Amino acid sequence: MTGAGPKRANFPQMANAIRALAMDAVEAAKSGHPGMPMGMADVATTLFAEHLKFDAAAPDWPDRDRFILSAGHGSMLIYSLGYLLGYDGMSLDQLKDFRQMGSKTAGHPEYGHAPAVETTTGPLGQGLANAVGMAIAEAHLNARFGDDAVDHRTYVIAGDGCLMEGISQEAISLAGHLKLRKLIVLWDDNNISIDGPISLSDSTDQLARFAASGWATCRVDGHDPAAISAAIEKAKSSSQPTLIACRTTIGYGAPTKAGTSATHGAPLGAEEIEGTRKALDWPYAPFEIPDDVLSNWRDAGARGGDVRAAWEKRISADKNCDAFKTAMSGDYAGVLTKAIADYKKALVETPQKLATRKASELALCVINDVIKETVGGSADLTGSNNTKTKDQNPLSAENYAGRYIYYGIREHGMAAAMNGMALHGGVVPYGGTFLVFTDYCRPAIRLSALMGVRVVYVMTHDSIGLGEDGPTHQPVEHLAALRAIPNLNVYRPCDGVETAECWELSLKTIATPSVIALTRQGLEQARLKQSGENLCARGAYVIAGKDAEDVTLIASGSEVSLALKAREALKQDGIKARVVSAPCFELFASQPESYHKEVLGKGPRVGVEAAVRQGWDLFLRRKDAFVGMSGFGASAPANELFEHFGITPAAVAAEAKRLIG
């Protein structure tokens, strides 16, 4: 990294500024984690002052290095850096309001709230796995657009807790396999956790573990800027991802609490803070930063300005400039609307009986042809999830330009990596596994929703309809559990037309992630009339019997076909039933009450879904009926299971008759 910056002789006091701000903010809030920022202050100072490619005046510069604070409890580290480096919006008042209502300085870093925060961290290990996704996105875009447009690194500060979480192994083994050489992890190797010494719970040789996963490793004194800088410089020329174990003292400078768990997650207290100021030779009032120290930090924040300006000049003259800008904007509404409309017309003209997982593959063939930024994948279920289209080559260490990732059996790591890819920008990630394994993905799915990033989770084998694999693989509570997550759209299409519409919505919804739940078993096409409107966009709509008022049958996914058959049976008895397809509860909930009344009608209602009833209060009143699951499934062919559990057209018709009386 070129550009004028502070001299290394100034680093000790620059690091002490981080320590002082961290302990002062935590003390003012009467809660927080001062130990990690104080321990890793020398590492952070060296990284930002000498190595990180960034410009505090342009926090969204696409070719900036990414810095991820995976150990998010140490949030005062990144907030202190934000203020000291001169990021707009991170004032001293924000630090004084640490952990207070309405401040940007939340207890853990939150994406979109504070400048310099690249991802929401706090749940340990998530940031590390996000960083793997960011490094994948960088490698892919570099292969596509070249060094002049994309050439940056991803740096992570991770703690002992990040490395103990199971997701860390999924993340580091994937990174090692893909040889993500621009990924550098700075491990806060302080040997302390909340309970006390790490030896209470763990004795893993972390360097050996990372080396076994294909990483370069080294160990340094985390309070020696020269050693830290040399290790980072070496890592920058490595052909592998690198782990730098930085041996630090948690709560560095605290006279009686340094090196103990007492500094991890609690204020130091007035007496200890007074002693720390003396130990660090920091004779300043709380939140006071001397002009010379602040000037050194502001120089560090501005040193990337010339590099950014040169990049902007270079990219504007690049022949791929327009394509690069399109990729980074992420807006594909125009091309997508026409492509899906044409595809739906073809489906209506030639109806097909398809499993919706196959319908998803066919829709992806259309999507991947018109959107070059999609990068798909699967957690070792490619042939079952139908997530790979014929034009997608594998993304590998030998071919980063590929658009399909074989994630291996790493559902959690896959989901978190896709978050990182989406946050990085320039790619649109989607990945698949079985719906039952959203349990393994759930922490990352929740963060997708919390951050508001576009990630598409393709979840197949969505009910007892998967058959013989039995109850371990048959999701019954998973739709309800996913629907409980705010800002997550859960789609369960009933046929090829709805599947295409759900894909269109998923890709147009930039600030909301999506789960598309798909069947293993074949389904008759329910949508047989052309519609220029995306009917799934309203969450639920009348698919048959619009004027019928005797009873309303509401279903999602594969059970829409059961409801349509029940309607025909009821017709034989003179009962007029309307059928409502409900592919997305969340979108229906957002519709006005007038639309709810229009769709649901005045008669009694029967809900139908091969899952538990929880969440169906959106559609059903207490007196209404539900045909679905109340326990786990069983191992048998799909048709036998639906009969056994009473999820049949006859059962739906019987409930309708009972309600009508």
Side-chain angles (χ1 to χ4, degrees):
M1 174 78 184
T2 59
K7 296 179 180 179
R8 193 175 292 170
N10 298 320
F11 285 11
Q13 283 295 79
M14 292 173 68
N16 285 341
I18 295 174
R19 294 183 174 107
L21 289 173
M23 66 182 184
D24 289 343
V26 171
E27 187 68 20
K30 302 304 178 186
S31 73
H33 301 75
M36 192 281 276
M38 296 174 72
M40 285 295 280
D42 295 305
V43 174
T45 300
T46 305
L47 174 64
F48 276 81
E50 289 193 338
H51 295 279
L52 199 76
K53 183 173 77 169
F54 76 108
D55 181 2
D60 295 328
W61 171 26
D63 202 36
R64 69 192 181 278
D65 286 345
R66 269 55 170 185
F67 171 69
I68 310 303
L69 185 66
S70 188
H73 55 274
S75 57
M76 271 309 303
L77 177 69
I78 201 165
Y79 299 148
S80 298
L81 287 166
Y83 165 67
L84 293 167
L85 291 163
Y87 279 90
D88 185 38
M90 188 48 67
S91 65
L92 202 57
D93 284 341
Q94 287 290 338
L95 271 61
K96 292 177 180 178
D97 284 342
F98 179 52
R99 288 182 163 229
Q100 304 308 301
M101 181 66 72
S103 74
K104 297 179 180 180
T105 48
H108 292 82
E110 294 186 32
Y111 173 71
H113 287 219
V117 174
E118 300 279 6
T119 182
T120 295
T121 56
L124 295 177
Q126 292 291 330
L128 175 59
N130 293 165
V132 172
M134 292 181 185
I136 290 172
E138 191 280 337
H140 176 73
L141 292 170
N142 173 266
R144 182 180 176 190
F145 294 110
D147 288 347
D148 283 350
V150 182
D151 186 13
H152 56 265
R153 292 178 173 81
T154 303
Y155 292 90
V156 183
I157 284 183
D160 293 296
C162 293
L163 302 193
M164 279 193 271
E165 289 285 0
I167 192 175
S168 72
Q169 184 57 39
E170 295 184 25
I172 69 171
S173 61
L174 179 61
H177 174 70
L178 292 176
K179 299 181 181 178
L180 299 175
R181 63 182 181 83
K182 294 181 184 177
L183 175 61
I184 299 170
V185 174
L186 300 155
W187 169 31
D188 181 16
D189 180 18
N190 61 33
N191 276 324
I192 293 293
S193 67
I194 294 175
D195 282 348
I198 294 297
S199 59
L200 291 172
S201 58
D202 191 53
S203 55
T204 302
D205 183 337
Q206 295 290 358
L207 270 66
R209 179 167 78 106
F210 274 74
S213 293
W215 288 56
T217 65
C218 68
R219 186 182 296 280
V220 300
D221 179 347
H223 301 298
D224 181 346
I228 297 163
S229 188
I232 294 173
E233 197 62 47
K234 182 179 179 181
K236 286 156 70 172
S237 62
S238 176
S239 61
Q240 303 167 281
T242 299
L243 172 73
I244 303 173
C246 305
R247 181 55 58 84
T248 62
T249 299
I250 190 171
Y252 183 92
T256 68
K257 295 183 179 181
T260 73
S261 60
T263 68
H264 173 85
L268 296 181
E271 184 177 344
E272 189 77 6
I273 286 176
E274 183 181 355
T276 304
R277 293 188 192 282
K278 291 179 181 178
L280 297 176
D281 189 21
W282 189 262
Y284 308 107
F287 297 104
E288 180 185 350
I289 305 297
D291 290 343
D292 60 331
V293 175
L294 187 59
S295 178
N296 283 325
W297 271 114
R298 295 296 161 88
D299 287 345
R303 70 186 176 85
D306 291 344
V307 178
R308 176 179 62 83
W311 177 87
E312 289 176 343
K313 183 178 180 180
R314 193 166 64 243
I315 195 67
S316 65
D318 194 297
K319 64 180 180 180
N320 293 316
C321 179
D322 289 344
F324 179 78
K325 288 181 177 179
T326 296
M328 296 308 297
S329 75
D331 184 0
Y332 312 107
V335 295
L336 193 60
T337 298
K338 184 180 186 307
I340 294 297
D342 291 344
Y343 176 59
K344 283 165 53 181
K345 183 178 180 181
L347 286 174
V348 171
E349 290 174 352
T350 311
Q352 301 179 64
K353 180 178 181 179
L354 292 171
T356 51
R357 61 171 175 159
K358 181 62 178 178
S360 173
E361 178 188 350
L362 296 176
L364 277 170
C365 289
V366 175
I367 291 163
N368 288 341
D369 185 51
V370 297
I371 301 177
K372 302 304 180 184
E373 287 71 39
T374 50
V375 177
S378 171
D380 200 51
L381 289 169
T382 295
S384 294
N385 299 148
N386 296 80
T387 40
K388 186 177 185 298
T389 56
K390 60 181 183 299
D391 60 331
Q392 287 180 303
N393 294 315
L395 188 156
S396 66
E398 295 72 37
N399 179 30
Y400 291 127
R403 293 173 61 192
Y404 192 82
I405 301 173
Y406 290 102
Y407 284 104
I409 307 167
R410 302 182 180 97
E411 296 91 350
H412 195 181
M414 173 184 72
M418 290 196 295
N419 280 345
M421 294 165 70
L423 289 161
H424 180 281
V427 296
V428 181
Y430 69 87
T433 183
F434 291 165
L435 182 63
V436 76
F437 297 134
T438 53
D439 282 346
Y440 287 176
C441 304
R442 188 178 180 84
I445 295 175
R446 183 176 185 271
L447 287 174
S448 301
L450 180 60
M451 291 187 284
V453 293
R454 177 177 51 193
V455 177
V456 184
Y457 299 95
V458 184
M459 299 299 177
T460 69
H461 296 59
D462 69 347
S463 73
I464 59 171
L466 71 87
E468 293 86 346
D469 277 345
T472 58
H473 285 56
Q474 292 168 0
V476 293
E477 77 277 27
H478 296 73
L479 290 169
L482 291 165
R483 288 167 179 158
I485 298 175
N487 193 41
L488 175 68
N489 287 338
V490 181
Y491 296 101
R492 192 167 184 248
C494 73
D495 67 0
V497 178
E498 279 198 355
T499 301
E501 290 187 344
C502 291
W503 264 109
E504 180 184 8
L505 294 167
S506 297
L507 294 171
K508 285 183 176 179
T509 311
I510 294 177
T512 301
S514 303
V515 171
I516 305 180
L518 304 164
T519 68
R520 178 185 185 234
Q521 72 273 28
L523 304 175
E524 296 289 347
Q525 188 165 314
R527 289 271 293 277
L528 300 174
K529 293 182 180 179
Q530 178 65 22
S531 172
E533 180 185 359
N534 185 322
L535 298 180
C536 291
R538 302 193 79 170
Y541 62 95
V542 179
I543 196 170
K546 185 174 183 179
D547 297 326
E549 289 287 357
D550 290 343
V551 66
T552 299
L553 312 178
I554 311 157
S556 78
S558 52
E559 287 69 70
V560 171
S561 63
L562 302 183
L564 289 169
K565 290 176 182 177
R567 174 177 179 267
E568 293 302 315
L570 290 168
K571 186 187 296 185
Q572 300 301 314
D573 293 328
I575 298 173
K576 297 177 181 179
R578 74 170 57 185
V579 177
V580 173
S581 177
C584 184
F585 287 26
E586 296 76 26
L587 293 181
F588 185 69
S590 69
Q591 303 304 310
E593 183 64 25
S594 59
Y595 182 73
H596 286 196
K597 292 179 179 178
E598 175 189 336
V599 169
L600 298 177
K602 299 177 181 178
R605 304 167 190 171
V606 181
V608 194
E609 191 171 65
V612 297
R613 179 170 174 157
Q614 187 172 347
W616 271 84
D617 288 346
L618 177 64
F619 296 96
L620 304 179
R621 301 153 299 193
R622 290 189 65 183
K623 62 182 179 180
D624 293 325
F626 179 73
V627 176
M629 298 292 292
S630 58
F632 294 111
S635 177
N639 60 334
E640 294 182 22
L641 289 168
F642 278 98
E643 286 285 344
H644 175 76
F645 289 106
I647 307 173
T648 64
V652 175
E655 284 297 295
K657 291 176 182 177
R658 181 181 65 81
L659 291 176
I660 293 170

